Amino acid sequence: MITQGDEATGSPASLEHADGVGRVIVSAEDLQSRIAELGVRITADYAGRPPLLVGVLKGAFMFMSDLSRAIDLPVQVDFMAVSSYGSATRTSGVVRIVKDLDVDLAGRHVLVVEDIVDSGLTLSYLQRYLLAREPASLEVCALLVKDGQQRTDVDLAYVGFHIPAEFVVGYGLDVDERLRNLRAIYAHASRSS
Ligand code: IMP
Ligand code: MG
């Protein structure tokens, strides 16, 4: 059966009522308007030096897709996949590179596209890893930052939204590999952050 989806959030209706999906934290509409703003800023900041967008899989796939289309420059895109050791919802800061980049970073203006910064440990590992490849510049664009959770200093050039320290799903973010295809960001009841 085809369902119409929720008018306010745009998410498929039955998914939105899946087990554990709580209130909307960032609506689909707010995501899209903020991403448009970030696109305008990045377009201006990188005029004359189109960036290489490096998406961190899997969580950033949807954000990467929308953000790249909001940037009016001839960007290139590449992806890395990382997995952090530790429990599913808590990172230990030890990161395993599951898929490395295909392109050489030397001399490139690299903009890392991340879904969410929680402890910041994943990102700080990635920054060190990428800097060793001697890019011309390295900045980070994170869609979400969980307030008060950072255990390390990460320098974020672009941030979509600061959100409360709760476990969230949707728009690329998963719980046990599910619910990435929700169009908005929702609190998820079964996990605490
Ligand atoms: P950090 O190393 O603690 O900053 O965690 C970063 C990674 O953990 C993110 O890239 C996400 O993949 C995952 N993560 C952190 N918080 C959440 C959440 O609330 N929902 C889903 N994934 C999360
Ligand atoms: Mg994840």
Side-chain angles (χ1 to χ4, degrees):
M1 188 183 87
I2 297 167
T3 51
Q4 201 70 64
D6 184 275
E7 270 177 43
T9 61
S11 291
S14 54
L15 258 194
E16 205 179 16
H17 297 113
D19 230 18
V21 177
R23 70 187 197 287
V24 174
I25 302 292
V26 185
S27 72
E29 202 184 358
D30 288 350
L31 283 170
Q32 293 306 319
S33 61
R34 183 68 181 138
I35 291 166
E37 288 173 10
L38 291 172
V40 168
R41 275 186 50 205
I42 292 167
T43 301
D45 293 352
Y46 284 89
R49 45 171 199 131
L52 169 68
L53 304 178
V54 171
V56 185
L57 294 173
K58 299 174 194 171
F61 83 99
M62 216 174 266
F63 180 39
M64 174 68 125
S65 167
D66 286 336
L67 182 69
S68 63
R69 285 178 288 183
I71 300 171
D72 189 11
L73 294 170
V75 301
Q76 288 185 21
V77 301
D78 202 353
F79 292 94
M80 296 182 73
V82 302
S83 91
S84 44
Y85 293 108
S87 75
T89 59
R90 260 284 167 239
T91 124
S92 57
V94 182
V95 174
R96 190 164 59 94
I97 308 289
V98 175
K99 181 216 171 291
D100 209 333
L101 294 169
D102 297 328
V103 304
D104 187 7
L105 296 191
R108 304 298 309 271
H109 294 283
V110 175
L111 182 57
V112 175
V113 178
E114 240 305 28
D115 54 354
I116 187 165
V117 179
D118 186 5
S119 69
L121 295 173
T122 303
L123 199 54
S124 107
Y125 176 90
L126 267 185
Q127 277 178 313
R128 271 178 282 129
Y129 182 81
L130 296 174
L131 275 174
R133 309 251 182 116
E134 304 188 330
S137 68
L138 180 69
E139 300 291 353
V140 177
C141 178
L143 179 63
L144 305 170
V145 173
K146 278 193 200 174
D147 272 338
Q149 294 298 103
Q150 285 72 60
R151 286 157 58 193
T152 176
D153 241 352
V154 278
D155 184 21
L156 303 170
Y158 308 95
V159 171
F161 299 89
H162 289 267
I163 62 167
E166 288 179 60
F167 196 79
V168 294
V169 293
Y171 198 71
L173 293 154
D174 72 304
V175 57
D176 299 333
E177 296 298 328
R178 291 179 307 112
L179 302 173
R180 293 191 196 274
N181 57 329
L182 286 163
R183 293 192 196 195
I185 307 277
Y186 299 80
H188 195 269
S190 75
R191 300 276 178 92
S192 63
S193 178

